[in-house]
Amino acid sequence: MLRKKGFWYELNKNKIMFLMLAPTLLFFFINSYVPMIGIYFAFTRFDFDGGLFGSPFVGLQNFQFLWKSGTLWTLTRNTVAYNLAFIVCLNAAAIFVAILLSEMHGKLFKKITQSLMFLPYFISFVLLNAIAYNMFNYDTGFVNTTLKSLDKNPIDIYNTPTAWIFLLVIFYVWKNLGYTMVIYLATITGISDEYYEAAKIDGANIFQRIWYITVPMLKPTFVILLLFALGSIMKGQFDLFYQLIGNNGILYNTTDILDTYVFRSLKVTFDIGMATAAGLFQSIFGFVLIMTVNYLIRKSNEDYALF
């Protein structure tokens, strides 16, 4: 009877491999697992004198307050809605642009276009904030200056919450379009020319070739990017929201997400228990979501699932 080979057998057989892996495991243990002790903060009314384990234990009171006050619903709604809008708009725009570029024959034009579209990806969010401020500032912004020159009334963008629902999505897509487009363009480049030649022989026009060949071939790439995006759907885009919105309380109802709430709770109100409760909810909700979506995709097509 063969002896079952377990972990200790593999460890003894591949000592060098495990030794090389040790620094990475140690890094994640120190930076990812040890800090998880801080989850206990979510069940306490934090007291600086008592510290972590000396603070009064309040059970689920922090979660109850977040739920009953409506804060948790608002934060979850905004976080999920914005991320879904980011995913849909960014991928739709990236696929559209990638297909357009793949059908163009001028190599120089394609290279210049790709470079110009990729450039915003390297722009910091601080600079993005400066661009937005110079565009929408009430007194000296480009938009209002132009409106005044046309004898139109200026628009107070920074006091108009609904405007930022669209502006945040536009800025996000503008910044990340080039990077995502390159991924789809690489996939299109890898599609065999034989498919297109056969379609031409059958009389398919350019739109039919795109719809019946290019788009289906992009499906695996889209699913993978979708799963990666859903994995961090509760994480939000903290840099984007914090730099563009900052501490503008007028915009909180439509722009506040879990990340900015947690940061503000720690920096402004010093409510560590409430911030930890929101962060813990964010992690659990995101974990359940990615497991559910991956399960559904695996049931539909196992090849597209992450695990």
Side-chain angles (χ1 to χ4, degrees):
M1 184 176 180
L2 292 175
R3 185 168 173 266
K4 188 176 181 180
K5 298 177 181 179
F7 171 76
W8 296 110
Y9 173 83
E10 292 294 334
L11 179 62
N12 184 60
K13 181 181 178 182
N14 301 293
K15 294 179 182 177
I16 303 300
M17 295 296 183
F18 279 97
L19 187 63
M20 294 172 64
L21 187 63
T24 302
L25 295 176
L26 185 63
F27 173 84
F28 281 105
F29 176 76
I30 294 174
N31 293 282
S32 299
Y33 289 94
V34 172
M36 289 179 68
I37 298 173
I39 289 175
Y40 181 71
F41 281 132
F43 307 97
T44 65
R45 188 186 307 110
F46 182 74
D47 181 6
F48 284 95
D49 293 331
L52 175 57
F53 296 107
S55 299
F57 181 80
V58 296
L60 299 176
Q61 285 185 16
N62 290 326
F63 296 94
Q64 290 174 352
F65 175 81
L66 287 172
W67 178 256
K68 290 180 180 179
S69 65
T71 303
L72 195 60
W73 161 247
T74 301
L75 295 174
T76 305
R77 178 200 65 192
N78 290 346
T79 304
V80 174
Y82 274 112
N83 276 286
L84 287 176
F86 292 158
I87 293 170
V88 172
C89 294
L90 177 60
N91 282 279
I95 291 173
F96 178 75
V97 174
I99 291 173
L100 283 181
L101 287 177
S102 68
E103 295 296 332
M104 293 180 180
H105 301 291
K107 292 184 178 181
L108 180 61
F109 178 78
K110 288 173 66 173
K111 289 181 179 180
I112 294 175
T113 303
Q114 289 179 50
S115 299
L116 291 175
M117 295 185 68
F118 207 94
L119 186 61
Y121 182 76
F122 297 103
I123 295 177
S124 69
F125 285 99
V126 176
L127 184 56
L128 185 63
N129 174 40
I131 293 172
Y133 183 81
N134 282 281
M135 287 182 64
F136 303 117
N137 179 265
Y138 185 80
D139 297 315
T140 59
F142 172 77
V143 173
N144 285 331
T145 302
T146 304
L147 289 174
K148 290 176 184 178
S149 66
L150 298 173
D151 294 327
K152 302 290 184 180
N153 293 326
I155 303 173
D156 193 357
I157 298 292
Y158 284 95
N159 286 321
T160 308
T162 53
W164 288 95
I165 296 175
F166 303 98
L167 290 175
L168 286 166
V169 176
I170 291 171
F171 277 117
Y172 178 83
V173 172
W174 174 75
K175 192 176 188 306
N176 295 278
L177 178 61
Y179 179 84
T180 311
M181 177 269 298
V182 168
I183 298 175
Y184 284 112
L185 190 60
T187 303
I188 294 174
T189 305
I191 300 175
S192 175
D193 291 333
E194 294 179 359
Y195 294 114
Y196 296 103
E197 294 298 332
K200 285 181 182 180
I201 294 173
D202 290 338
N205 58 39
I206 185 172
F207 297 106
Q208 291 173 325
R209 294 197 297 271
I210 290 173
W211 184 252
Y212 292 107
I213 299 176
T214 307
V215 173
M217 289 292 185
L218 291 176
K219 183 179 177 181
T221 303
F222 171 75
V223 172
I224 294 297
L225 292 179
L226 175 64
L227 284 173
F228 282 137
L230 289 176
S232 58
I233 194 170
M234 292 300 293
K235 184 179 180 181
Q237 300 291 330
F238 172 77
D239 293 334
L240 175 69
F241 284 83
Y242 183 73
Q243 289 297 333
L244 292 182
I245 306 302
N247 295 317
N248 189 345
I250 298 175
L251 306 178
Y252 282 167
N253 189 52
T254 55
T255 62
D256 206 17
I257 59 174
L258 282 161
D259 289 80
T260 53
Y261 177 83
V262 170
F263 177 79
R264 197 167 59 252
S265 296
L266 294 173
K267 182 182 178 182
V268 180
T269 63
F270 300 104
D271 195 341
I272 295 178
M274 205 69 68
T276 308
L280 180 59
F281 168 78
Q282 178 184 23
S283 299
I284 294 175
F285 190 97
F287 173 76
V288 172
L289 181 63
I290 186 61
M291 293 297 291
T292 302
V293 174
N294 187 75
Y295 172 79
L296 294 175
I297 291 177
R298 189 171 67 245
K299 282 290 185 181
S300 175
N301 191 326
E302 191 172 351
D303 294 334
Y304 292 158
L306 287 178
F307 49 87

